[in-house]
Amino acid sequence: MKLWGGRFEKGTEGLVEDFHSSIRFDQRLYKQDIQGSIAHARMLGKVGVISEAEATQLIEGLNGILEDVQAGKVEFEIGAEDIHMNVEKLLTERIGPVGKKLHTGRSRNDQVALDLRLFLKSEIDQTKSLLAQLTQTLLKLSEEHLETWMPGYTHLQKAQPITLAHHLMAYVQMFLRDLGRLKDTRKRLNISPLGSGAMAGTTFPLDREQVAAELGLDGVTLNSLDGVSDRDFALEFLANASILMMHLSRLCEELVIWSSGEFQFISMDDGYSTGSSIMPQKKNPDVAELVRGKTGRVYGDLIALLTVMKGLPLAYNKDMQEDKEAVFDAVDTIQKCLLVVEPMLRTMQVHRDIMAFGAKGGFTNATDLADYMAKKGVPFREAHEFVGRIVLHCSKEGLGLEDLSLSDYQAISPIFEEDLFSSIGIEHCVRARKITGGPSPETVFEGIRLSRQALDELLW
C-alpha cells in the first residue's frame, strides 16, 4: 500500500515503479533522514500537535531503526520508493498506527531538502579535513625545499629560477582558497527548510527554530517555495568541488611531467606507480593521471545538476530527484582523490641536483641580466632588447650567459663590472627576489608561516 495511494484506483506499473524509485541511491541519506525525523517528532510533541508520549514512541522507534540500519539488519524496499517512505513504513510496522503521525506538518519536499543539507554539511567537514592534511603536507615539503633550486616556467618554457618551495606554495594558496569556498558554502547551507511543507507551509503551529537548533542549523529558510526548490547549496558545492579538482589536476599534471625521463625532477614511490603489461621497464604515474581523469567526472556532476535545474518552475519538481547522485559522486570522487594525492606527494623522491641543473639552463637568468643593466642606468626596454641579442648570440654558440667572460661583456658595453656574475648566478637570482610573494627562501618561509595561520582560521 502506497503512503500516497488514496487518490489512485490503479497500482503503479512495475516498470514505472522501478524507474520512479530512488531508494537505490538515496538510502545513503538514512542517518540524516532519521535525525531530521527525530527532531521533527520531538517538536510535534512539544508544541502539542501530538502527545509527548507519542513523540517519545516515535523517537524510540526511529532510534531503533537507525541502530538496525547501521548494523546491516535492514533491507530497503524499491516499492517504498525512497528513504523517507522506507523509514516511515518500517516505523509504522514496528510501533503501529502512531508511526503514521510522524509525517504531520511535513512533506517529502522539505524533508529531502533537509536531508541533503545535513549530508553536505557533514561531507564538507570531511572534505575540509582531507584537504587540510594535503595542505599541511605541502607546507612541510615547502619547508624542506626552501633552497631546492629549480626552473620556473611560462608556456612550459624555462622562464626564471625559483625554488621547489616557491612552486609548491602556489598550490597551498589554491587549496586555501578551496577551503575558504567550502567554508562559505557550509555556512550558507546550514539552515533548515523543514516547515516549508510541499511548497506553501503548513497550518500546524510548528516550531521551526527548535528543529533547526536541535539539528545544529543556524536558522530557517524564509520562503517556503524556495525552501523546497533551492539546490543552490548543492550547485555551489559542486562548483567548489570542480575548482578543487582542477587544482588537483594541475598539480598532478606537473608530477606526471616532472617524473618523466625528459625531466627526472622527481621519482614516484613504487606504491603510487604502476607498470606496463608489455614493457617491463615502465614505471607509470597512473595515480596522478587518474586524478586528472576524474576531474572531468566532477565537472560532469556540476553540469548535470545545472542542466536539471535550469528550466524548472517553482516549486518542487520530480526532476530534482536527480540532484543526489551528482552530489554523491562528486563527494566520493574528491575525497578519494585527496586521500591518495597526499601520501603520493609525501612519499615522492625529489632529485635536487637535476632540478638545480635545470635551473641553470635555458637562460633563466636573462631577466636578471636586464635588471642589472637597468640598475646601471640603461632604460629597461633598451636593456631587454640588448640582452635578447646576447641570448641569441649565446644560443647560436651553445653558451650560457655565465659562460661569457667579463671582457666579452665589457666589449659590448662599459657598464659591466666585477659584480656582474654574482648578480646573474642562479642562487643570487632567487635570493634577491625578497619582495612579498617572491621565491627567496626568507620570503617563502614567511609565506609558510602566514599560510599555516590562514589554514588554522579556515578550519574553525
Side-chain angles (χ1 to χ4, degrees):
M1 178 67 182
K2 298 289 186 184
L3 299 182
W4 44 261
R7 156 70 173 81
F8 292 78
E9 296 179 348
K10 179 182 176 182
T12 308
E13 292 290 341
L15 185 64
V16 172
E17 190 162 278
D18 180 71
F19 181 70
H20 180 73
S21 176
S22 61
I23 189 59
R24 292 185 192 86
F25 52 86
D26 71 12
Q27 63 182 274
R28 187 165 176 175
L29 298 174
Y30 76 88
K31 183 177 180 180
Q32 291 79 19
D33 194 74
I34 293 173
Q35 287 175 334
S37 291
I38 288 173
H40 181 68
R42 196 185 321 277
M43 178 272 297
L44 290 178
K46 185 175 180 179
V47 299
V49 171
I50 62 177
S51 70
E52 292 282 359
E54 289 173 326
T56 299
Q57 195 174 356
L58 289 171
I59 292 168
E60 290 176 351
L62 288 165
N63 277 322
I65 294 171
L66 178 59
E67 292 174 5
D68 286 349
V69 174
Q70 291 173 331
K73 298 178 181 179
V74 172
E75 185 173 340
F76 295 114
E77 298 178 11
I78 290 178
E81 296 183 9
D82 55 35
I83 187 60
H84 325 298
M85 293 174 67
N86 264 273
V87 170
E88 185 174 338
K89 183 174 183 294
L90 283 168
L91 183 65
T92 302
E93 289 172 353
R94 293 187 179 197
I95 69 172
V98 174
K100 297 180 179 181
K101 294 190 175 185
L102 175 63
H103 209 54
T104 307
R106 189 174 66 169
S107 164
R108 283 186 292 174
N109 296 356
D110 56 355
Q111 192 175 356
V112 69
L114 172 71
D115 291 358
L116 195 56
R117 285 176 183 270
L118 293 177
F119 173 83
L120 268 180
K121 177 183 175 180
S122 174
E123 295 304 326
I124 285 175
D125 289 344
Q126 176 65 9
T127 302
K128 286 178 61 182
S129 177
L130 293 172
L131 183 53
Q133 291 177 34
L134 172 59
T135 306
Q136 290 282 17
T137 294
L138 285 169
L139 288 166
K140 186 174 184 296
L141 285 170
S142 297
E143 280 187 324
E144 295 172 0
H145 292 285
L146 287 168
E147 298 192 8
T148 298
W149 321 113
M150 67 171 289
Y153 296 84
T154 62
H155 309 279
L156 205 54
Q157 305 293 315
K158 288 183 180 179
Q160 292 177 288
I162 58 172
T163 64
L164 178 56
H166 187 56
H167 196 106
L168 295 176
M169 284 299 294
Y171 285 98
V172 169
Q173 301 311 307
M174 297 181 206
F175 294 141
L176 288 176
R177 292 194 294 272
D178 290 323
L179 283 165
R181 280 185 282 268
L182 288 169
K183 183 177 182 179
D184 289 344
T185 297
R186 186 189 187 281
K187 181 179 180 180
R188 271 187 287 277
L189 68 78
N190 202 40
I191 55 176
S192 173
L194 275 189
S196 298
M199 47 79 70
T202 177
T203 58
F204 293 99
L206 305 184
D207 188 340
R208 300 184 68 202
E209 288 75 14
Q210 176 191 324
V211 174
E214 179 171 340
L215 295 172
L217 303 174
D218 296 329
V220 300
T221 54
L222 299 181
N223 182 282
S224 60
L225 289 168
D226 185 57
V228 297
S229 64
D230 169 40
R231 292 298 183 271
D232 288 1
F233 61 93
L235 288 165
E236 191 172 340
F237 170 78
L238 292 173
N240 296 342
S242 296
I243 296 172
L244 169 54
M245 286 300 299
M246 178 266 291
H247 291 154
L248 285 175
S249 184
R250 293 183 71 181
L251 174 58
C252 287
E253 168 71 6
E254 299 210 273
L255 297 179
V256 170
I257 292 172
W258 290 355
S259 64
S260 68
E262 287 72 22
F263 274 71
Q264 299 183 50
F265 284 0
I266 62 170
S267 294
M268 294 293 196
D269 184 86
D270 285 357
Y272 295 90
S273 306
T274 63
S276 165
S277 63
I278 189 172
M279 295 171 285
Q281 83 281 10
K282 294 297 294 297
K283 182 178 179 180
N284 300 324
D286 279 4
V287 172
E289 293 174 2
L290 195 53
V291 172
R292 282 188 321 197
K294 287 183 179 294
T295 299
R297 181 182 186 127
V298 176
Y299 289 1
D301 293 328
L302 171 61
I303 296 301
L305 186 53
L306 281 170
T307 305
V308 166
M309 296 299 297
K310 73 176 183 64
L312 298 185
L314 291 174
Y316 182 85
N317 296 269
K318 191 66 174 181
D319 314 50
M320 294 166 68
Q321 181 170 291
E322 294 296 305
D323 58 357
K324 287 169 281 298
E325 287 182 283
V327 169
F328 294 160
D329 183 69
V331 164
D332 292 343
T333 302
I334 61 174
Q335 290 184 4
K336 287 178 182 177
C337 288
L338 289 169
L339 276 168
V340 76
V341 168
E342 187 277 327
M344 179 178 66
L345 277 172
R346 179 164 33 85
T347 57
M348 73 180 182
Q349 181 182 359
V350 176
H351 304 303
R352 299 172 188 253
D353 292 344
I354 296 177
M355 279 191 169
F357 181 79
K360 294 177 181 178
F363 304 102
T364 60
N365 51 358
T367 301
D368 296 272
L369 180 57
D371 288 347
Y372 175 90
M373 296 182 70
K375 290 173 183 176
K376 298 291 185 178
V378 179
F380 180 79
R381 190 50 59 201
E382 292 181 17
H384 184 285
E385 182 177 356
F386 198 87
V387 172
R389 293 191 192 127
I390 297 176
V391 168
L392 179 61
H393 167 75
C394 288
S395 63
K396 288 180 177 179
E397 299 297 324
L399 301 171
L401 296 178
E402 62 279 3
D403 294 328
L404 298 178
S405 66
L406 180 59
S407 59
D408 290 332
Y409 278 104
Q410 289 178 334
I412 297 170
S413 173
I415 67 168
F416 295 107
E417 300 177 16
E418 294 286 345
D419 62 347
L420 168 63
F421 293 103
S422 62
S423 298
I424 63 172
I426 296 302
E427 287 193 29
H428 179 272
C429 292
V430 178
R431 293 187 187 280
R433 291 185 165 86
K434 296 182 179 180
I435 190 169
T436 301
S440 74
E442 296 86 356
T443 302
V444 175
F445 186 78
E446 177 64 7
I448 292 172
R449 184 187 70 81
L450 293 173
S451 295
R452 279 209 169 98
Q453 180 179 321
L455 180 59
D456 289 341
E457 292 172 356
L458 286 166
L459 292 177
W460 288 98

